[in-house]
Amino acid sequence: MTVSAEKFGQIAKLVGDPSTPAARPSTRSERLQLYGLYKRATVESDHRPPRPGMFNIDGRMKWDAWAAEDGKSKEEAMQAYVDLAKELVGKPVEDVLAE
């Protein structure tokens, strides 16, 4: 089942809202994976800016997370994002999907 763009947007808002209760704490790796999947699903072009310099560690990690999702279609990235969000957030994501 492919998730709609509208439901994806609602789930992304839930994930980005610090007041949303988490089913379990997320790891840094999972947060970076969410970032990469979100960028892959929302940025229309495959043309990423150049990789940030070596002193921009956070920027490089985000860029690498985005690059790791190359090869996925927009729909695959949206579905993978929703699946990971469901695992991390739980019920609020399931409620959006059930609407």
Side-chain angles (χ1 to χ4, degrees), residues 35-92:
Y35 176 85
L37 289 167
Y38 180 83
K39 291 294 273 190
R40 184 71 185 148
T42 58
V43 175
E44 293 297 324
S45 174
D46 283 336
H47 302 291
R48 275 187 299 281
R51 189 172 188 221
M54 63 189 266
F55 294 111
N56 184 352
I57 295 169
D58 285 338
R60 285 174 74 94
M61 289 183 356
K62 287 180 175 181
W63 191 95
D64 291 343
W66 184 8
E69 302 307 330
D70 281 353
K72 283 191 170 102
S73 69
K74 180 177 181 174
E75 292 76 22
E76 290 171 330
M78 287 187 344
Q79 188 62 53
Y81 183 95
V82 168
D83 292 343
L84 183 54
K86 193 184 323 178
E87 180 184 329
L88 297 173
V89 177
K91 181 133 177 58

Side-chain angles (χ1 to χ4, degrees), residues 2-38:
T2 305
V3 66
S4 70
E6 179 184 345
K7 288 190 187 284
F8 174 78
Q10 291 173 340
I11 291 168
K13 284 182 185 176
L14 279 174
V15 169
D17 184 359
S19 66
T20 301
R24 67 172 179 81
S26 60
T27 64
R28 182 180 195 125
S29 173
E30 289 168 330
R31 288 189 302 271
L32 285 168
Q33 184 179 6
L34 282 171
Y35 176 85
L37 289 167
Y38 180 83

